Amino acid sequence: MSNYNFNSYLIKRFLKYLFKGKIFSLVSKSYLQLFNLNKINLDKLSIDHNLSLNDLFNKFGSENGSYDTKKTYFYHRSFKEFIKKFPNYENWITRSKEEDEALTHQSGVNYTSIFEKYLDIYKDKKTNFLQIGTRGGHTIAGLYYYFKKMNLNSISFKDRNKFIYFSKRIFFKTVDVRDPKQVSKFLSSNNLFDIIFDDEFHYQDGLVLNFKNFINYCKDVYIIKGFTTDDRELAAMRKYNNEKKTKMYYPSNAYTTKEVFNFIKKKEFFHHNILSEKFLKNLYNSDYKIDIYDSDHPEGGLIIFKKIIG
């Protein structure tokens, strides 16, 4: 978050608490936030560093693991016995194996084996990672222990108070990727990223726009997650209108996200409302490979764009 945005946020909070007569509460919360005292310090958290990436995702509550355990916590915290045992999220993260197995979790998208296939070479390298789209920061937290030396950058349109983790290797900024000025300012103030993982907007216009804006700032692997639901809806709308012999005006995209990246994979030109012919020409002059992974998870789908250098 920029200083301007953070100061604006504090002013709004001050006025809100002023009218409610809760100035002490505001000062206390602002102090905790300013010095990251209200966040989980990963540099000091006691976690087994030999855990697999899937176990790390499950421990922190990233939906990219086999289970989405954060939903277990947020559902059960309304029960007195549960919240007595796990009064906060840090206590939940450090739960024992026996405590974890006593509960039934919601399924995650389970992409750890794919991530490991492309990212394992970076486990002990001092490089740069960027996640576009962060909720609480649970994926970043899991990756912190998987990547021993990597700097982990994360951006989201959400305020930094929503990001619950802290570390000397983690850097969070509030950036609305729909705002060209904010994107340009962020990219101009950062080095290139070895890995970029887009998990912000799971619809085509959002993820394609991010690809267009960020791909030239990626040195190696660009990952796009979560296009399946949007693709299924577009395909169903297209089929329905074809059967009715009517014209589909919206969504405006003629192709699904999977079709778009299959065109890019084959270096075929196509019309798109975001990707211009000039952009495609420049992209097609480079060497890369694309792997597309379907998913039976309703919110799944993974695209791996890997640059080939040399």
Side-chain angles (χ1 to χ4, degrees):
M1 183 188 294
S2 67
N3 289 334
Y4 173 80
N5 288 334
F6 185 50
N7 291 337
S8 176
Y9 167 78
L10 289 180
I11 291 171
K12 289 178 181 178
R13 297 284 288 181
F14 176 80
L15 293 175
K16 175 183 176 181
Y17 280 79
L18 177 63
F19 288 127
K20 291 186 176 182
K22 297 181 178 179
I23 296 300
F24 177 78
S25 179
L26 171 66
V27 172
S28 176
K29 289 184 177 181
S30 298
Y31 176 81
L32 292 173
Q33 189 176 81
L34 187 63
F35 294 100
N36 295 306
L37 299 177
N38 60 341
K39 298 184 183 297
I40 299 171
N41 190 338
L42 298 178
D43 296 334
K44 297 181 179 180
L45 195 64
S46 179
I47 295 291
D48 183 357
H49 286 241
N50 295 316
L51 291 175
S52 69
L53 181 58
N54 187 63
D55 287 339
L56 288 168
F57 280 160
N58 288 342
K59 179 167 283 293
F60 284 98
S62 168
E63 65 180 18
N64 292 300
S66 53
Y67 300 115
D68 191 350
T69 61
K70 66 178 175 293
K71 289 185 172 64
T72 308
Y73 174 81
F74 290 120
Y75 174 81
H76 285 90
R77 67 177 179 174
S78 59
F79 298 97
K80 290 183 179 179
E81 287 302 313
F82 180 86
I83 209 64
K84 184 178 179 181
K85 185 180 292 186
F86 306 108
N88 55 55
Y89 203 78
E90 184 170 342
N91 291 122
W92 171 246
I93 292 169
T94 56
R95 65 193 179 279
S96 68
K97 182 179 180 181
E98 292 72 21
E99 291 171 329
D100 185 71
E101 292 177 346
L103 295 161
T104 302
H105 304 296
Q106 182 169 320
S107 292
V109 292
N110 199 17
Y111 283 142
T112 50
S113 62
I114 301 174
F115 286 169
E116 288 172 330
K117 176 182 177 181
Y118 295 92
L119 308 182
D120 187 66
I121 61 170
Y122 288 102
K123 285 185 71 173
D124 297 305
K125 292 184 178 180
K126 190 175 182 180
T127 48
N128 289 313
F129 175 95
L130 171 65
Q131 181 178 5
I132 307 170
T134 303
R135 307 311 182 256
H138 310 297
T139 295
I140 288 288
L143 291 174
Y144 168 86
Y145 290 95
Y146 181 72
F147 296 127
K148 311 300 184 186
K149 301 176 182 178
M150 186 175 284
N151 289 323
L152 300 164
N153 300 272
S154 183
I155 61 174
S156 174
F157 65 89
K158 294 186 176 182
D159 290 333
R160 70 174 183 176
N161 62 310
K162 302 294 184 181
F163 192 89
I164 68 172
Y165 299 97
F166 169 75
S167 166
K168 294 177 182 178
R169 289 197 288 119
I170 293 177
F171 309 92
F172 175 84
K173 286 188 178 181
T174 298
V175 178
D176 188 340
V177 292
R178 297 163 296 188
D179 185 333
K181 291 183 179 179
Q182 290 189 38
V183 171
S184 178
K185 183 178 180 180
F186 172 76
L187 291 173
S188 64
S189 61
N190 285 275
N191 296 321
L192 297 178
F193 302 98
D194 298 273
I195 305 162
I196 296 180
F197 174 40
D198 182 9
D199 194 14
E200 182 74 286
F201 302 116
H202 301 156
Y203 58 85
Q204 186 178 147
D205 280 0
L207 60 88
V208 169
L209 180 63
N210 284 344
F211 179 76
K212 177 185 176 182
N213 289 336
F214 287 88
I215 188 60
N216 290 331
Y217 294 86
C218 177
K219 293 169 64 177
D220 189 15
V221 181
Y222 190 102
I223 304 171
I224 296 171
K225 175 195 157 193
F227 61 86
T228 301
T229 301
D230 189 60
D231 272 13
R232 286 173 180 165
E233 181 179 349
L234 175 58
M237 287 291 291
R238 192 165 60 187
K239 180 182 177 183
Y240 183 81
N241 277 274
N242 287 338
E243 290 173 349
K244 295 292 183 180
K245 296 181 179 180
T246 53
K247 184 174 178 61
M248 188 177 74
Y249 293 101
Y250 185 84
S252 58
N253 301 313
Y255 307 106
T256 64
T257 299
K258 183 177 179 179
E259 289 168 340
V260 165
F261 280 89
N262 268 322
F263 283 132
I264 296 174
K265 181 177 183 177
K266 299 173 184 177
K267 296 190 175 183
E268 295 180 4
F269 287 93
F270 61 100
H271 176 74
H272 196 274
N273 60 321
I274 294 174
L275 302 178
S276 66
E277 184 177 350
K278 180 181 178 181
F279 172 84
L280 292 174
K281 280 183 179 179
N282 290 332
L283 183 67
Y284 292 172
N285 283 330
S286 63
D287 292 324
Y288 57 83
K289 62 175 291 188
I290 293 178
D291 293 320
I292 301 175
Y293 296 89
D294 290 315
S295 173
D296 56 357
H297 191 285
E299 297 179 354
L302 204 66
I303 297 170
I304 310 290
F305 182 104
K306 180 171 174 55
K307 295 187 175 182
I308 300 174
I309 302 172

